[in-house]
Amino acid sequence: MIEVQNLVKKYGEVTAVKGITFSAEPGQVTGFLGPNGAGKTTTMRILTGFMPPTAGTARVAGYDVFDKSLEVRRRVGYLAESVPLYRDMTARDYLMYIGEIRGIKRPRPRADEVLERVGLASRAGSRIRTLSKGMRQRVGLAQALIHNPPVLILDEPTIGLDPLQVLELRQLVSDLGRDHTVLFSTHILSEAEQVCDKVVIINRGEIIAAGNPNDLRASLERGARVLVRADAPAGALRELVAGVKGVQSAEIGMNGVVATPASADRDPRSEIVQAVVQKNWKLTEIRPLAINLEDIFLEVTRRQAQDADAPQSAEAEAGS
Amino acid sequence: MAKQIPDPIKTQAEGQEPIIPPGLLLGLAAVAFLVAIFVVLTQPEPGVVGLGAFAFGVLAVVLWAILAPEQARGALTGRTLRFGGASVFVTVLLIAALVGAYIVARNASVRLDLTESSDFSLTAESRQAIAALGADPSLPAVEITAFYSVAQAGRRDQDEPLLQDYQETSGGKISYEFVDPDLQPGLVQRYSVTANGQLVVAAIDAATGEPDLENAVNISFLNQEELTNAVLKVSAQGEFRATFITVAGSAIAEMSQLKTSLAEQYDWDVQDVSLLALTSPESEIALNDPNVDGEVMILPGGSQPLSDQELEVIRGYLNGGGNLVIFAGTNLNEDKVSLATAENLNAYLAENFGISFNNDVILDLTQAAQDALAPIATDFNASSYITTNGIAAGQSLAVFELAPSIAVAETAPANVTVTELVKTGSSSYAKTDLDLILSGSGARAETDAAGPFVVMASAENSQTGARVILVSSTAIPSDNYVLFGNLANQYLAFNSLVWSTDFLDYFQGITILQQQRPQDQPIFASEGQMAQARTIVLGLPFVVLMIGVYVWWSGRERAR
Amino acid sequence: MTDTPMNHHEQIDHVVETGVALPFWTVFKREFSAYFRSPVAYGIAFAVLLFLGVLFNGYITYANQSQQTPADSTYAPGLLVFLLFLIAPLLTMRLIAEESREGTLEVLMTLPMHEGQFILGKFLAAWGYFTVLLLLTVVYHLILLTIGVPDLGAAFGSYLGAWLYGGAVIAITMIWSAVTEDQIVAAFLGAATILVLYLAEIAASWVASQGAVGGIADFIRELGLQAHFGVTLSRGILRLEDVLYFVFMIVAALFITTRIVEIRRWRA
């Protein structure tokens, strides 16, 4: 549904997006991850037809975002980061306005339908300026849904919401992901992990990782340090773990013993479990230390920095 | 994990870099087109600069298309069309196209007069007269030259529809042109224009194609009535003829002033001819010429009586509806008779027109110019054109030097109307004993007839149309006494000719008077109407304000 | 987000019927009605009508006393046209600047609508408001009808002219609203532009008095607004080029505005 090929966007001398390539499939929520200023919003604006790419192509629902901008826009629902709304209009009037511009035949029942969907039916007649931040976010989402688009592009929809609202919104996005193509940007990585079927990690205009969050985790968990806790004296446990095959070293940490694998592609957990069970100690916890996307992100960025120190480092720095 | 793209910042256009940046070419083209537009707008003709700039612009665009085919294709298919430099170029092209369309429309001069009163079109009266002018092939073409400076461009725009209507209604016979006096000082001088905003109406000489500026009419402010009359006046080809008869002892020299003004100011044909020459078959002048709009024969004095043959010429002429003005020369000569006071002429005049000269001389000791032989007359007929045009009643005077008195018959002949025009004062007296005067003793005697005497009279035969005016002195057309203030002499002479030929009526006949429009009616409101108007006019904004406050208030309520 | 939980039904995701969209008409309806919900618009109408009313009252009072002034139906439209250098920037300053600053432009520009439609809708709304204001001034003509004999044709010409004039001026001031996000700056630049175009006739005479060559003075004059209204349309002379001047001004200004919005958003 979304295919991006070598997409480049330059603002004068500054290159915001440096030739990224990725795709998003229908029936999936694709997470677009990255710190602020990574190029997420720029990419999304290109995908919605708001601005043209400097080079490269992007196709949404089979249409080129530049050549068939209107066709693309017809099939995309977009929630912009700042959730811009007309504050002097009521929620229903606003949705009817957008619906009418989109050419919806009966905008009023449709607006009520969408408001119902986002749980705002009771405030349909309220002016938007009187609504809370969370409600406005929902009006914005309703706006993106009004024409039931096959593709939804949501730019940081959970920003500034309270925890309960965040949970509800994530649930809604997950639901929508079942029969829509959803591209969902966030800089909160646990959120992507929770909601997304696929993540694309972007930093400084470049994609640094992409894939299923579980696959990503698995590939990174290999070689990750392992935390081991058991009903045993810390010193004895450390000695035991250090002696397990595939473990390079082990230290006593805050919550237990931390084991460092011998090589990056080894997962020594099963061996450690076996060793502990053999001692008849009660194993209370064993997990890789890098298991969430924050860690993945940090890890990948760290590795990238290490690569940059390698011979071509000067070139890589110049590009950013 | 995605692999990053090594060199992503390569756009299609930068693939092959030409020697000249294509963007620069587009910029040059834009500048060239702007120059071309500017030249077209500001110069009467595109000229070398305009055409050159246009050609250069086209060349630059073509070159750009060759050097950057990708961009050119993009521009046509819409991809780069919307980008920066190209966008500016497209905008310039659009504006150039709009300006072009505007210029075409302006040159097409499509105008519509919306006003009910047709302020900017010909009125019914003007339209009829102008259409008649256009339809008459014997009349010359007329050009209207309006000397409007840039500061008067507004008036130019306003007056153009009317001038256009003149042109169209006359079938193109009337043409108009606007001239900027600041740009063409030569024309200003040639057309004798004294101030900006004047219009000069001139007939175009069919032979030379040049405007007849001598008889042009200058209008200081366009006004339809005035303009129509000016057009009619310059195009009117009235042919008027004054024939001065040369006889022995005639006072032709005294007539020179009159002849000059007739010929130069009023375009009359003026000739000196002897009566007998008129009758010869070779004569170029035919009397009672039907092709002439007006003719008059003038007898400027003379010392010898007319021969019978000569009198026969006059008789025939008057019977055919001719006009005759006789200025009596002096009879104070050896045989004590002049052409005017001779028996044969006066018998004819008295019998046919009821007026004749007496063979006497009027003297006045108290009301005279230099001596008693130049009596001053102040009694002018108040209703005749001859004694009123240019002559202020009660203030003007006329000097009748060496004048015989005029006898007016008590009953005029049939069909003849006699009008006494000028009389001398009551202190005047007439001597019939001319020897006494010649010997220098002009004192008043008992036997002398007492004034006032008629010294100027007209007679008109309504059947033949003949008109005769007797004037007792050849001093009347001369400028002998111009040192006197309010001297009516020359007016009397000139008016006599005008009246006798109906010259004035000829012009009055072609003058169009405009009717008052209902729109010129001034505003008038009663007290009540004024109060009502004031209430509406001043109340309206507050009604709007109150609606605004209401809307704002109810909007606030809803927001809660 | 505390009152109602979000619905998770699927009934929303049916196919939404769409027809032929006329986005400019939708934008027009919203913006036009926004004028009548905004106290600012009533404030402008109040100030304009009060100003016109006081002057008109003075005019008829004077005319009634002098007893020789015919009814001049161009009085009110002529004045209104002069005031446009203040009215138009106030009407248009927020039209695009606000959308741009609030970010609502970003949403609109991701809808299936060409920028031109959006600009056209906004323009028609402002012009519509001006049309209402102009129609209110017809009351002056009606008053003249009761106390004098105004020329109906000339009145028609001057109202038509004032209407076209207003359209052109509004379109031109809209350019500035697109150029800057600051409404005050937009209004100030708009007023300055219109004043310059209004006074072009005077500038032309000055240029001519300085001995300028050829048609430069005429060119400047015809570029200005008054040359196409003050002496022709407002007096009842309908000239094709005058009508085209105003129409072309509108077309060109809207085109430029569209381009600016496009360029600005693409370089955002």
Side-chain angles (χ1 to χ4, degrees), chain B residues 378 380-381 387-397 486-488 491 495:
Chain B
T378 55
F380 298 105
N381 183 322
T387 44
T388 51
N389 181 45
I391 297 167
Q395 288 172 31
S396 299
L397 54 91
N486 297 324
L487 188 76
Y491 281 106
N495 292 349

Side-chain angles (χ1 to χ4, degrees), chain A residues 9 11 45 48-52 70 73 78 80 84-87 89 97 100-105 110 113-114 116-119 122 134 138 148 165 168 171-172 175 179, chain C residues 1 3-10 12-19 21 23 26-27 29-30 37 99 102-113 265-268:
Chain A
K9 179 68 187 179
Y11 296 118
R45 281 179 167 177
T48 53
F50 179 70
M51 48 169 69
L70 289 188
R73 294 181 194 189
Y78 176 51
L85 300 168
Y86 293 110
R87 297 156 59 87
M89 286 178 110
Y97 176 56
E100 243 181 89
I101 292 179
R102 284 196 175 276
I104 291 172
K105 270 190 180 162
R110 179 62 191 169
E113 215 170 71
V114 187
E116 175 98 358
R117 174 72 156 112
V118 298
S122 63
R138 288 201 245 176
N148 189 23
Q165 293 171 336
E168 282 178 358
Q171 185 56 51
L172 186 66
D175 286 354
D179 43 12
Chain C
M1 252 206 191
D3 43 0
T4 333
M6 293 191 201
N7 279 301
H8 300 162
H9 329 133
E10 300 295 320
I12 183 161
D13 297 328
H14 57 77
V15 174
V16 178
E17 265 191 291
T18 55
T26 308
V27 174
K29 279 192 296 183
R30 183 192 113 77
R37 276 188 272 113
E99 300 255 10
E102 298 277 311
T104 41
L105 197 61
E106 185 178 346
V107 174
L108 288 172
M109 291 301 105
T110 57
L111 300 179
M113 149 170 86
R265 123 176 115 81
W266 286 358
R267 295 180 171 174

Side-chain angles (χ1 to χ4, degrees), chain B residues 133-134 141-142 164-176:
Chain B
L133 187 151
V142 174
Q164 211 176 341
D165 205 0
Y166 273 103
Q167 187 169 29
E168 281 161 14
T169 307
S170 69
K173 204 159 192 177
I174 299 174
S175 59
Y176 66 90

